[in-house]
């Protein structure tokens, strides 16, 4: 019997033939999808992921107060947000060519309060000014760190001690770190510490700054650490 004499396929045969063709095409689509997914996964695995964390500048060596910081003094590293202090410097552009108002240790993260200029008062009320104050007892001044709040007391030879500044914030300790001379402060002047005392840089109102300046002429200035 020739193919011309064969009866036409039944409905069931046609349905089965179409089903087999559909299964073949579905298998081909599944294989193509699997290959595309494998390629995408391989490309993703080969592509380096962006480093996690926030960029910060870290000192590569001990930096003296008054020195100007550049790219050779710091390295950019990434830290988790929980490890990043407030006011952190994230790039070399953030240095702005400014100098340090206090010494920085190797491995320390640079923040704005370490740099001379308006950044020393960043985050504080606009009416405050940065005031250099000479403390009569350098050992007492050595107990203070930037961010501490202190009372400043003035006492003369024949007068009792009086509070001239209450709960002022310490911005910097320029004499710390073994570089007590020629420190450039946030006011742009030369802050010089000597054996008769030690310098602190504090944030105060202009009225309190005037009282401190007057007291410095005739009195010895001492400090009291505040719980804040």
């Amino acid at each position: 019997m020739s193919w011309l004499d064969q009866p036409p396929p039944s409905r069931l045969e046609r349905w089965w033939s179409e089903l087999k063709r559909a299964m073949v095409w579905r298998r081909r689509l599944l294989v193509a999808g699997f290959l595309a997914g494998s390629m995408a996964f391989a490309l993703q695995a080969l592509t380096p992921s962006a480093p996690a964390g926030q960029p910060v500048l870290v000192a590569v060596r001990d930096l003296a107060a008054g020195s100007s910081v550049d790219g050779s003094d710091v390295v950019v590293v990434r830290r988790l947000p929980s490890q990043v202090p407030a006011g952190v410097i994230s790039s070399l552009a953030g240095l702005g060519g400014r100098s340090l108002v206090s010494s920085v240790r190797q491995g320390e993260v640079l923040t704005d309060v370490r740099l001379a200029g308006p950044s020393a008062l960043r985050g504080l009320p606009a009416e405050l000014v940065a005031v250099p104050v000479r403390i009569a007892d350098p050992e007492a001044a050595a107990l203070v760190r930037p961010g501490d709040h202190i009372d400043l007391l003035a006492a003369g030879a024949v007068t009792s001690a009086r509070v001239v500044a209450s709960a002022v914030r310490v911005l910097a300790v320029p004499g710390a770190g073994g570089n007590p001379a020629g420190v450039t402060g946030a006011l742009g002047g030369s802050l010089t510490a000597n054996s008769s005392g030690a310098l602190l840089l504090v944030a105060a109102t202009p009225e309190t700054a005037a009282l401190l300046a007057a007291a410095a002429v005739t009195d010895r200035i001492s400090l009291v650490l505040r719980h804040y």
Side-chain angles (χ1 to χ4, degrees), residues 10-27:
S10 65
R11 180 179 300 178
L12 179 61
E13 290 174 333
R14 288 197 304 270
W15 175 84
W16 178 246
S17 177
E18 291 175 359
L19 180 61
K20 288 192 293 184
R21 284 198 298 269
M23 291 178 65
V24 170
W25 277 107
R26 183 178 181 183
R27 187 180 299 112

Side-chain angles (χ1 to χ4, degrees), residues 4 6 8 13 25 44 84 87 105 186:
L4 294 175
Q6 293 179 354
E13 290 174 333
W25 277 107
Q44 183 177 6
V84 176
R105 287 293 188 185

Side-chain angles (χ1 to χ4, degrees), residues 32-225:
F34 176 77
L35 291 176
S38 300
M39 185 176 294
F41 179 79
L43 290 175
Q44 183 177 6
L46 294 175
T47 302
S49 59
Q54 178 179 344
V56 298
L57 294 186
V58 173
V60 298
R61 64 181 68 87
D62 288 350
L63 303 176
S67 60
S68 181
V69 184
D70 58 31
S72 64
D73 299 317
V74 295
V75 63
V76 179
V77 301
R78 289 184 175 270
R79 296 281 176 84
L80 296 176
S82 59
Q83 300 174 334
V84 176
V88 69
I89 307 299
S90 299
S91 65
L92 293 176
L95 295 174
R98 293 172 290 175
S99 58
L100 296 170
V101 297
S102 60
S103 300
V104 174
R105 287 293 188 185
Q106 180 180 354
E108 183 177 342
V109 175
L110 264 66
T111 58
D112 53 2
V113 296
R114 295 294 194 187
L115 299 175
S119 63
L121 290 166
R122 185 172 299 166
L124 298 178
E127 64 270 16
L128 296 183
V129 296
V131 186
V133 179
R134 186 175 300 283
I135 305 301
D137 184 355
E139 293 182 349
L143 301 175
V144 179
R145 297 292 181 268
D148 288 345
H149 288 77
I150 60 175
D151 290 346
L152 294 171
L153 293 78
V158 295
T159 59
S160 59
R162 67 188 188 281
V163 177
V164 289
S166 179
V168 293
R169 179 176 177 177
V170 178
L171 299 177
V173 187
N179 183 37
V183 177
T184 301
L187 297 181
S190 178
L191 305 180
T192 305
N194 52 45
S195 58
S196 64
L199 276 175
L200 300 180
L201 190 69
V202 302
T205 63
E207 294 77 14
T208 300
L211 294 175
L212 287 169
V217 176
T218 58
D219 301 326
R220 290 168 57 88
I221 307 297
S222 59
L223 64 88
V224 176
L225 282 164

